[in-house]
Amino acid sequence: MLFLCILNTLLMKKIVVLTGAGMSVESGLKTFRDADGLWEEYPVQQVATHEGWLKDPTLVTNFYNMLRKKCWGVQPNEGHRLVAELEEKYDVTVVTQNVDNLHEMAGSSKVIHLHGELMKVCSSNDPDDPRYQQLLTPDNCEVTPGTKAGDGSLLRPFIVFFGEAVPMITIAAEACQDADIFIIIGTSLAVYPAAGLIHYVRPDVPVYLIDPNPVSTGGRHITQIQKGASAGMRELSELLMK
C-alpha cells in the first residue's frame, strides 16, 4: 500500500503556484503597496529594513505584533481553499511572497515562504538559524520588546527585510524548473527575485495568471484570467480538476 501511494505521488503532475498580496486581500488583509496599503501608514524604511530594526527595534517589534493580531483575526478565502484542493489530483507546491499562514490554514501541505513567516520570530544575529526560531500561537502572538533569543540577541520578526538575501529563492527556483503547470495569483511580477521565477519554468509548460489587472510577463505566453483570487481559481479549478 505504501509503495502504491509513493508511485501515485511520483506519477502526479506537478503544479507550482506563485502567490502575492492579491491572494490574501479577499481575506481582509491589506496589501503593502496599494494606495491604501500599509506602507502609506508605516514607512518601509522604519519597519521593513535592517537599518530600521537597528534604529528602533521596539517600533519594529510592535508593528509585527499588530500584523499578527490582524492575521489571526482572518480566515483563508475560497482562493486559498481551491489551491489546497488541487492536491487531490496534483503534486502542488505553493511559493508565496506573503508572510501570512493562510495557505497552511487552508490545507496546503507544501508552502515555500520567500519573504519569511509572520508567525515566527528568530535571532537577530542569525535569522536563519533554526535553533532560535520560534513559532507563535494565537494566544501568544505578541513579543515584548527587548525579549531575547536563545543566543542572547534580540528576538526579531522572521521576515526578510528589504535589502536582505532571500534564502528560499533557490529552493523555489528548483520547484519551478520541475513544474508541469505554473499558476500565478495576485502578484504584479514587479518584485524581484520572486518575479524572476517565471524564467525557470520550462518553455513548454502552460502558465496561468489570475489577477484583476493586466500583468506583463516579459513576452512569455500565458493564459490570463482577469479576476480576483477566488473567482479566478473557481474558473481554473474547473479546467484542472476535470
Side-chain angles (χ1 to χ4, degrees):
M1 181 65 72
L2 178 60
F3 173 76
L4 291 176
C5 290
I6 295 173
L7 180 61
N8 185 50
T9 300
L10 291 174
L11 293 175
M12 282 182 168
K13 282 190 173 182
K14 297 181 184 294
I15 289 182
V16 174
V17 185
L18 173 64
T19 66
M23 185 82 229
S24 297
V25 166
E26 292 173 32
S27 292
L29 293 179
K30 277 187 176 184
T31 66
F32 284 93
R33 295 174 181 274
D34 286 347
D36 63 343
L38 287 169
W39 294 150
E40 293 291 317
E41 302 175 46
Y42 303 91
V44 59
Q45 295 84 359
Q46 291 183 4
V47 297
T49 65
H50 186 65
E51 292 75 18
W53 166 257
L54 292 177
K55 182 177 180 180
D56 195 343
T58 296
L59 174 67
V60 176
T61 297
N62 286 333
F63 173 75
Y64 289 96
N65 282 340
M66 177 270 293
L67 289 188
R68 280 187 214 100
K69 286 190 285 187
K70 286 181 180 292
C71 195
W72 281 122
V74 302
Q75 295 295 320
N77 59 57
E78 184 182 6
H80 290 107
R81 292 190 291 271
L82 289 171
V83 168
E85 288 174 12
L86 291 176
E87 294 188 19
E88 296 173 8
K89 190 174 178 180
Y90 298 91
D91 179 1
V92 182
T93 299
V94 176
V95 179
T96 186
Q97 298 173 77
N98 300 333
V99 296
D100 60 58
N101 62 346
L102 294 176
H103 280 297
E104 290 91 339
M105 290 174 66
S108 289
S109 60
K110 292 196 291 186
V111 183
I112 298 171
H113 284 271
L114 291 179
H115 297 156
E117 298 178 59
L118 181 61
M119 299 308 163
K120 289 183 178 180
V121 288
C122 58
S123 158
S124 53
N125 280 342
D126 187 358
D128 298 316
D129 190 330
R131 294 176 299 172
Y132 307 119
Q133 293 171 4
Q134 300 177 29
L135 180 63
L136 303 178
T137 60
D139 57 351
N140 184 31
C141 65
E142 289 194 56
V143 176
T144 302
T147 303
K148 294 185 177 180
D151 63 354
S153 68
L154 288 178
L155 272 181
R156 61 161 267 186
F158 185 58
I159 300 294
V160 178
F161 290 148
F162 282 92
E164 293 183 331
V166 180
M168 299 302 290
I169 195 66
T170 300
I171 295 172
E174 290 171 353
C176 292
Q177 288 175 328
D178 291 337
D180 298 305
I181 300 170
F182 191 62
I183 303 171
I184 305 165
I185 308 174
T187 175
S188 62
L189 294 179
V191 178
Y192 283 83
L197 289 173
I198 192 171
H199 301 303
Y200 290 89
V201 180
R202 300 189 310 275
D204 60 315
V205 169
V207 177
Y208 299 92
L209 189 149
I210 297 171
D211 197 280
N213 303 307
V215 176
S216 173
T217 57
R220 173 82 188 229
H221 175 71
I222 63 166
T223 299
Q224 180 163 6
I225 301 173
Q226 209 160 335
K227 297 180 179 179
S230 294
M233 271 307 300
R234 280 198 299 272
E235 182 174 326
L236 185 55
S237 291
E238 291 180 7
L239 173 66
L240 296 178
M241 298 296 279
K242 286 182 179 178

